[in-house]
Amino acid sequence: MKHLNKLFAVALMFVGINSQAQDSNNPWAISFGANAVDTRVSAASSVEDQFSQYFNVKENWNIIPSVSYLNVSKNVGGNFSFGITGSINKISRFVLPRTTVPGDYTVVNPGDLSYYAADGVIKYSFQDALGSKWFDPSAHIGGGYTWLGDASYGTVNGGLGLTLWFSEMVGLSFQSTYKYSLEDSADRGMADNIPTHMQHFAGLTFKFGGKDTDGDGIYDKDDACPEVAGLKQFKGCPDTDGDGIIDGSDSCPEVAGLAEFQGCPDTDGDGIADKDDACPEVAGPKALNGCPDADGDGVADKNDKCPQVVGPAANGGCPWPDTDGDGVLDKDDKCIDVKGTVANNGCPEITEEQVSQLNAYAKTILFNSGKATFKQETFAVLQSITAILKQYPSSKFSIEGHTDSDGKDAANQKLSEDRAGAVKNYLIENGIDASRLSSAGFGESKPIDSNKTAKGKANNRRVEVKLVK
């Protein structure tokens, strides 16, 4: 039976190893101080009588004047902790059962018996339930093994405790444990055995083991930013600019801003964060990246060469000019410096009278006989034709050559083509754009007079200038 008792007590002790209640931030705790052993409970005949002299320290308690217990414990989650306690004492006051006089107990000295105990403890703290930071009542159960003189037996334990926390990690602890002896009840209470007894503890408790890498007072397990010091209201994350948005979610962590802009400011209040605002000091529309547009032409003032006048972006925000005042903007006007018509892209349109004048000049163009070279007196006429064509830079003309019926048809055809080409080349060489001119020869196929007379033949040998529409 004794061996079974010992095994049971040891099992209870190891169930409670690494115990005692602290918290999950600092899971480990160590307690040390003084303990007192009271054997009165084994001598009393009733529960009421067992605790009637609970505080009779002078007559019943056994105390040695030194540190006499040590407890090491660990929080295991919630409000539970587990640990082991080792204690020593000297038993010089042993309470014997009541004799003939009711209520009269005899206290003897059994010979300063040495007392040793190793106890496992399962402890539950009520501190969180009370919502207190300093007042920490608790209840505990467990088991252990006690050595008293030459005797040793297991015990089943239970009791209450109280810790008053001076700070988060240091407290003053009190505990009373009822230790029920597992020896035979017939022998309980004898000095040479292990009686049921009370053991009281008073000492200091130190919590430790919490990790706070960044030193911000928030333990790593609760710290959302364990490597960087932060604030408790942000779970340990920093808010450098103090705008209420943690740096990790703040697009502008060095400058206070608004939540709607992910922590960035909007100085001009135009709804565009400064970091995205091309003009952060002056309100402007989103379409222009936050820059103002005074004239409303869609060109930001900073890029508008005419910020007070509506104008297209293609012209730097300025209206297109119409240099010659003909109603055709310079960008579309092919004759910027000369008034023209809209139909002719801003260039003047040649009149029928002027076309007639061209042909009047053309009829006086003289060639050397049978050749495509000009007679000397013809150059003045060609200059006059050139001058008229320059007045109408957008008009196009066809130069046409004709001959009389003398000679062979093929020769006449070629001669007419060469003479029209000669006129065209002269005009080009004298400043008329080649794209405006074309030439063609018709030989003797389009006479305007009779080829039977010298005068008629002279009229048929001609160059005509026609407006190409």
Side-chain angles (χ1 to χ4, degrees), residues 344-374:
N344 200 36
N345 298 318
C347 290
E349 296 188 76
I350 192 168
T351 63
E352 291 296 330
E353 291 77 11
Q354 289 166 320
V355 173
S356 296
Q357 182 64 49
L358 284 173
N359 282 304
Y361 283 131
K363 287 179 181 179
T364 63
I365 295 174
L366 302 176
F367 295 93
N368 293 311
S369 180
K371 297 180 180 180
T373 56
F374 301 112

Short mmCIF file of all heavy atoms in Angstrom, two decimals, residues 344-374:
data_model
loop_
_atom_site.label_atom_id
_atom_site.label_comp_id
_atom_site.label_asym_id
_atom_site.label_seq_id
_atom_site.Cartn_x
_atom_site.Cartn_y
_atom_site.Cartn_z
N ASN A 344 -10.86 77.62 -101.49
CA ASN A 344 -9.55 77.41 -102.11
C ASN A 344 -8.44 77.36 -101.05
O ASN A 344 -7.31 77.76 -101.30
CB ASN A 344 -9.28 78.52 -103.13
CG ASN A 344 -8.21 78.12 -104.14
OD1 ASN A 344 -8.13 76.96 -104.54
ND2 ASN A 344 -7.40 79.09 -104.56
N ASN A 345 -8.81 76.86 -99.81
CA ASN A 345 -7.84 76.66 -98.72
C ASN A 345 -7.09 77.93 -98.36
O ASN A 345 -5.90 77.90 -98.06
CB ASN A 345 -6.84 75.57 -99.09
CG ASN A 345 -7.49 74.23 -99.31
OD1 ASN A 345 -8.37 73.83 -98.54
ND2 ASN A 345 -7.09 73.53 -100.36
N GLY A 346 -7.81 79.06 -98.42
CA GLY A 346 -7.22 80.32 -98.01
C GLY A 346 -6.43 81.02 -99.09
O GLY A 346 -5.84 82.08 -98.84
N CYS A 347 -6.38 80.46 -100.24
CA CYS A 347 -5.66 81.12 -101.34
C CYS A 347 -6.66 81.81 -102.27
O CYS A 347 -7.82 81.39 -102.40
CB CYS A 347 -4.87 80.08 -102.14
SG CYS A 347 -3.48 79.40 -101.23
N PRO A 348 -6.20 82.89 -102.94
CA PRO A 348 -7.10 83.56 -103.87
C PRO A 348 -7.39 82.68 -105.09
O PRO A 348 -6.56 81.88 -105.50
CB PRO A 348 -6.31 84.81 -104.28
CG PRO A 348 -4.89 84.47 -104.03
CD PRO A 348 -4.89 83.54 -102.85
N GLU A 349 -8.60 82.82 -105.66
CA GLU A 349 -8.99 82.04 -106.83
C GLU A 349 -8.83 82.91 -108.09
O GLU A 349 -9.28 84.06 -108.12
CB GLU A 349 -10.42 81.54 -106.69
CG GLU A 349 -10.62 80.57 -105.54
CD GLU A 349 -12.01 79.95 -105.54
OE1 GLU A 349 -12.24 79.05 -106.36
OE2 GLU A 349 -12.84 80.36 -104.72
N ILE A 350 -8.22 82.32 -109.09
CA ILE A 350 -8.02 83.05 -110.36
C ILE A 350 -9.35 83.24 -111.09
O ILE A 350 -10.20 82.34 -111.08
CB ILE A 350 -6.99 82.30 -111.24
CG1 ILE A 350 -6.56 83.19 -112.41
CG2 ILE A 350 -7.53 80.95 -111.69
CD1 ILE A 350 -5.35 82.64 -113.15
N THR A 351 -9.52 84.39 -111.68
CA THR A 351 -10.79 84.69 -112.36
C THR A 351 -10.70 84.29 -113.84
O THR A 351 -9.62 84.03 -114.37
CB THR A 351 -11.10 86.19 -112.28
OG1 THR A 351 -10.06 86.92 -112.97
CG2 THR A 351 -11.16 86.64 -110.82
N GLU A 352 -11.85 84.26 -114.45
CA GLU A 352 -11.91 83.93 -115.89
C GLU A 352 -11.16 84.97 -116.70
O GLU A 352 -10.51 84.66 -117.70
CB GLU A 352 -13.38 83.84 -116.34
CG GLU A 352 -14.15 82.66 -115.80
CD GLU A 352 -13.58 81.33 -116.29
OE1 GLU A 352 -13.04 81.28 -117.40
OE2 GLU A 352 -13.67 80.33 -115.52
N GLU A 353 -11.26 86.21 -116.21
CA GLU A 353 -10.57 87.29 -116.92
C GLU A 353 -9.06 87.07 -116.89
O GLU A 353 -8.37 87.28 -117.91
CB GLU A 353 -10.90 88.65 -116.30
CG GLU A 353 -12.34 89.13 -116.50
CD GLU A 353 -13.33 88.43 -115.58
OE1 GLU A 353 -12.88 87.73 -114.64
OE2 GLU A 353 -14.55 88.56 -115.82
N GLN A 354 -8.58 86.62 -115.74
CA GLN A 354 -7.13 86.40 -115.62
C GLN A 354 -6.70 85.17 -116.43
O GLN A 354 -5.59 85.13 -116.97
CB GLN A 354 -6.75 86.24 -114.14
CG GLN A 354 -6.84 87.59 -113.39
CD GLN A 354 -6.81 87.43 -111.90
OE1 GLN A 354 -7.41 86.50 -111.38
NE2 GLN A 354 -6.15 88.37 -111.22
N VAL A 355 -7.57 84.18 -116.52
CA VAL A 355 -7.26 83.02 -117.37
C VAL A 355 -7.20 83.46 -118.83
O VAL A 355 -6.32 83.04 -119.61
CB VAL A 355 -8.30 81.90 -117.18
CG1 VAL A 355 -8.08 80.78 -118.20
CG2 VAL A 355 -8.24 81.36 -115.76
N SER A 356 -8.14 84.37 -119.18
CA SER A 356 -8.13 84.90 -120.56
C SER A 356 -6.85 85.68 -120.81
O SER A 356 -6.26 85.61 -121.91
CB SER A 356 -9.36 85.80 -120.78
OG SER A 356 -10.55 85.04 -120.68
N GLN A 357 -6.40 86.41 -119.80
CA GLN A 357 -5.17 87.18 -119.94
C GLN A 357 -3.97 86.26 -120.14
O GLN A 357 -3.09 86.52 -120.97
CB GLN A 357 -4.96 88.04 -118.70
CG GLN A 357 -3.72 88.92 -118.75
CD GLN A 357 -3.76 89.97 -119.86
OE1 GLN A 357 -4.76 90.69 -120.01
NE2 GLN A 357 -2.75 90.05 -120.69
N LEU A 358 -3.97 85.13 -119.39
CA LEU A 358 -2.89 84.15 -119.55
C LEU A 358 -2.85 83.63 -120.99
O LEU A 358 -1.77 83.51 -121.60
CB LEU A 358 -3.09 82.98 -118.58
CG LEU A 358 -2.75 83.23 -117.10
CD1 LEU A 358 -3.16 82.02 -116.26
CD2 LEU A 358 -1.25 83.49 -116.95
N ASN A 359 -4.01 83.33 -121.52
CA ASN A 359 -4.04 82.78 -122.87
C ASN A 359 -3.72 83.83 -123.93
O ASN A 359 -3.17 83.50 -124.98
CB ASN A 359 -5.41 82.15 -123.15
CG ASN A 359 -5.55 80.78 -122.51
OD1 ASN A 359 -4.73 79.90 -122.77
ND2 ASN A 359 -6.53 80.59 -121.63
N ALA A 360 -4.05 85.07 -123.59
CA ALA A 360 -3.67 86.15 -124.52
C ALA A 360 -2.15 86.24 -124.59
O ALA A 360 -1.56 86.42 -125.68
CB ALA A 360 -4.28 87.47 -124.06
N TYR A 361 -1.49 86.08 -123.41
CA TYR A 361 -0.02 86.06 -123.40
C TYR A 361 0.50 84.81 -124.13
O TYR A 361 1.48 84.87 -124.89
CB TYR A 361 0.49 86.06 -121.96
CG TYR A 361 0.42 87.42 -121.28
CD1 TYR A 361 -0.13 87.55 -120.02
CD2 TYR A 361 0.94 88.57 -121.90
CE1 TYR A 361 -0.19 88.76 -119.37
CE2 TYR A 361 0.89 89.79 -121.26
CZ TYR A 361 0.32 89.89 -120.00
OH TYR A 361 0.27 91.11 -119.39
N ALA A 362 -0.19 83.70 -123.85
CA ALA A 362 0.30 82.43 -124.41
C ALA A 362 0.30 82.45 -125.94
O ALA A 362 1.17 81.84 -126.58
CB ALA A 362 -0.55 81.27 -123.89
N LYS A 363 -0.68 83.14 -126.53
CA LYS A 363 -0.76 83.19 -128.00
C LYS A 363 0.40 83.94 -128.62
O LYS A 363 0.68 83.80 -129.82
CB LYS A 363 -2.07 83.85 -128.43
CG LYS A 363 -3.31 82.98 -128.20
CD LYS A 363 -4.57 83.70 -128.62
CE LYS A 363 -5.81 82.82 -128.37
NZ LYS A 363 -7.07 83.52 -128.77
N THR A 364 1.07 84.74 -127.81
CA THR A 364 2.18 85.54 -128.35
C THR A 364 3.52 84.86 -128.15
O THR A 364 4.57 85.45 -128.43
CB THR A 364 2.19 86.93 -127.70
OG1 THR A 364 2.43 86.79 -126.31
CG2 THR A 364 0.87 87.66 -127.93
N ILE A 365 3.48 83.61 -127.55
CA ILE A 365 4.74 82.88 -127.38
C ILE A 365 5.21 82.42 -128.76
O ILE A 365 4.45 81.77 -129.50
CB ILE A 365 4.53 81.66 -126.44
CG1 ILE A 365 4.17 82.13 -125.02
CG2 ILE A 365 5.80 80.81 -126.39
CD1 ILE A 365 3.82 81.00 -124.08
N LEU A 366 6.42 82.79 -129.15
CA LEU A 366 6.95 82.47 -130.46
C LEU A 366 8.11 81.49 -130.35
O LEU A 366 8.97 81.63 -129.47
CB LEU A 366 7.42 83.75 -131.17
CG LEU A 366 6.35 84.84 -131.37
CD1 LEU A 366 6.97 86.09 -131.99
CD2 LEU A 366 5.23 84.32 -132.28
N PHE A 367 8.12 80.47 -131.21
CA PHE A 367 9.16 79.46 -131.24
C PHE A 367 9.95 79.59 -132.53
O PHE A 367 9.42 80.06 -133.56
CB PHE A 367 8.55 78.05 -131.16
CG PHE A 367 7.84 77.77 -129.84
CD1 PHE A 367 6.48 78.00 -129.72
CD2 PHE A 367 8.56 77.28 -128.77
CE1 PHE A 367 5.84 77.73 -128.54
CE2 PHE A 367 7.91 77.02 -127.57
CZ PHE A 367 6.55 77.23 -127.44
N ASN A 368 11.14 79.17 -132.50
CA ASN A 368 11.92 79.09 -133.73
C ASN A 368 11.27 78.02 -134.61
O ASN A 368 10.75 77.01 -134.12
CB ASN A 368 13.36 78.71 -133.43
CG ASN A 368 14.08 79.84 -132.67
OD1 ASN A 368 14.02 81.00 -133.10
ND2 ASN A 368 14.73 79.50 -131.54
N SER A 369 11.29 78.25 -135.90
CA SER A 369 10.58 77.40 -136.87
C SER A 369 10.97 75.94 -136.74
O SER A 369 12.15 75.59 -136.74
CB SER A 369 10.86 77.88 -138.31
OG SER A 369 10.16 77.06 -139.24
N GLY A 370 9.92 75.09 -136.55
CA GLY A 370 10.12 73.64 -136.46
C GLY A 370 10.83 73.19 -135.20
O GLY A 370 11.21 72.02 -135.10
N LYS A 371 10.98 74.09 -134.23
CA LYS A 371 11.71 73.75 -133.01
C LYS A 371 10.88 74.09 -131.76
O LYS A 371 9.84 74.77 -131.86
CB LYS A 371 13.04 74.50 -132.95
CG LYS A 371 13.98 74.12 -134.08
CD LYS A 371 15.27 74.90 -133.95
CE LYS A 371 16.22 74.52 -135.10
NZ LYS A 371 17.49 75.28 -135.00
N ALA A 372 11.39 73.67 -130.58
CA ALA A 372 10.72 73.94 -129.30
C ALA A 372 11.51 74.95 -128.50
O ALA A 372 11.39 75.01 -127.27
CB ALA A 372 10.54 72.65 -128.50
N THR A 373 12.27 75.78 -129.22
CA THR A 373 13.04 76.82 -128.54
C THR A 373 12.38 78.16 -128.77
O THR A 373 11.73 78.39 -129.78
CB THR A 373 14.48 76.86 -129.06
OG1 THR A 373 14.45 77.05 -130.51
CG2 THR A 373 15.21 75.57 -128.74
N PHE A 374 12.54 79.06 -127.76
CA PHE A 374 11.83 80.34 -127.81
C PHE A 374 12.63 81.38 -128.60
O PHE A 374 13.86 81.39 -128.56
CB PHE A 374 11.62 80.88 -126.39
CG PHE A 374 10.83 79.94 -125.51
CD1 PHE A 374 11.44 79.32 -124.42
CD2 PHE A 374 9.48 79.70 -125.77
CE1 PHE A 374 10.73 78.49 -123.61
CE2 PHE A 374 8.78 78.85 -124.93
CZ PHE A 374 9.38 78.22 -123.85
#
